[in-house]
Amino acid sequence: MLEELKQEVYEANMQLPQLDLVTFTWGNVSGIDRQQGLFVIKPSGVAYADLKPSDLVVVNLKGEVVEGDLNPSSDTPTHTVLYNAFPNIGGIVHTHSPWAVSFAAAGLDIPALNTTHADTFYTAVPAARALTQAEIEADYEGNTGKAIVEAFEQRHLDYEATPAALVSQHGPFSWGKDAGQAVYNAKVLEVVAEEDYHSLQLTRANIELPQYLLDKHYYRKHGQDAYYGQNNAQSQTHAQHEK
Ligand SMILES: O=C(CO)[C@@H](O)[C@@H](O)COP(=O)(O)O
């Protein structure tokens, strides 16, 4: 069943370690056949090196396994919610890619700070709200998907224009028209998360030395007394340039 889709989703899964988006068995990719209302997903806990297309598990849109000897990814309920809520997506990726996880753990959106971001995501990538203890205990993965959908609904975001979200204190989910595009979007997300982190660090505060402190130390060492701009033509000239 769905042999061609399994091959496509298998290849998408194998791109995760190739693109440094996962460590060990973390992460998973799924892809859906909308005509049959069935999706295939990586089995839970299987090392990528050991994965075969035939290992992929077939699941219906109720989240029920219809074919497969292995357990589906533990994130299958999240994929199920997203396929039901976002009818135009064909593939979903979940990773623990470290820069995106850093924003997820901080509960921060990944802001649109550069054109790399804008090429793929029309808005900031939303950080979904944290789940309550009751939600976590009742159905962590299913409620994770609902929190993502809620973020898009409440913020009036277009899930096709911004094909990703951050799960509070867990990590990113991204999606696309198929599994391959979902992986591409996951990689772009990780790249812009890293770029954003550094941009935010660089712009967080103006921490340049004040001129008088620079004068005092520089001129004391280089033979001229500079007392906060007095009796020092160079610093006065500099001060004039500063005005
Ligand atoms: O973070 C978790 C589990 O805590 C999962 O997203 C990740 O390990 C992938 O799990 P699966 O191997 O797909 O079940």
Side-chain angles (χ1 to χ4, degrees):
M1 177 191 276
L2 296 174
E3 298 318 308
E4 195 173 310
L5 181 61
K6 285 180 182 177
Q7 181 63 34
E8 175 192 326
V9 174
Y10 163 77
E11 289 169 8
N13 272 283
M14 296 309 287
Q15 280 192 292
L16 297 189
Q18 290 164 7
L19 293 170
D20 286 331
L21 288 173
V22 295
T23 305
F24 305 131
T25 66
W26 306 337
N28 42 75
V29 183
S30 68
I32 190 168
D33 179 320
R34 286 287 181 187
Q35 278 65 44
Q36 298 191 53
L38 298 172
F39 65 91
V40 302
I41 192 164
K42 181 179 177 290
S44 185
V46 174
Y48 290 88
D50 301 334
L51 188 65
K52 302 186 300 299
S54 58
D55 292 333
L56 296 182
V57 183
V58 182
V59 182
N60 67 24
L61 284 174
K62 291 178 184 170
E64 300 160 339
V65 173
V66 299
E67 182 200 83
D69 302 326
L70 302 172
N71 292 323
S73 165
S74 56
D75 297 307
T76 298
T78 307
H79 290 242
T80 305
V81 168
L82 295 179
Y83 280 128
N84 281 287
F86 297 161
N88 293 339
I89 65 176
I92 299 172
V93 172
H94 168 53
T95 76
H96 292 182
S97 59
W99 292 102
V101 168
S102 301
F103 279 85
L108 297 174
D109 292 359
I110 294 178
L113 301 186
N114 60 42
T115 55
T116 308
H117 185 113
D119 287 343
T120 300
F121 306 106
Y122 185 62
T123 66
V125 174
R129 68 171 176 81
L131 299 183
T132 65
Q133 182 177 352
E135 289 172 321
I136 290 170
E137 289 172 354
D139 178 9
Y140 174 61
E141 288 81 9
N143 286 321
T144 288
K146 290 175 184 173
I148 291 172
V149 174
E150 181 187 292
F152 277 76
E153 288 173 347
Q154 289 185 351
R155 295 168 61 166
H156 308 295
L157 297 176
D158 177 345
Y159 68 86
E160 294 181 90
T162 302
L166 302 178
V167 174
S168 177
Q169 296 177 320
H170 185 167
F173 278 79
S174 56
W175 48 86
K177 66 178 173 49
D178 55 27
Q181 188 181 66
V183 170
Y184 174 89
N185 293 339
K187 182 61 180 179
V188 172
L189 184 68
E190 179 65 0
V191 167
V192 298
E194 182 176 7
E195 291 170 342
D196 283 4
Y197 176 85
H198 293 298
S199 298
L200 293 170
Q201 288 298 311
L202 289 171
T203 55
R204 197 162 59 157
N206 176 352
I207 51 176
E208 282 188 42
L209 274 180
Q211 188 59 45
Y212 59 84
L213 197 50
L214 193 146
D215 285 350
K216 182 170 181 56
H217 285 267
Y218 182 83
Y219 290 118
R220 185 172 61 187
K221 182 155 185 265
H222 293 265
Q224 292 181 42
D225 283 342
Y227 290 96
Y228 305 105
Q230 295 167 12
N231 306 321
N232 176 281
Q234 194 155 356
S235 71
Q236 280 167 356
T237 305
H238 184 91
Q240 277 157 9
H241 284 310
E242 288 289 293
K243 285 186 181 108

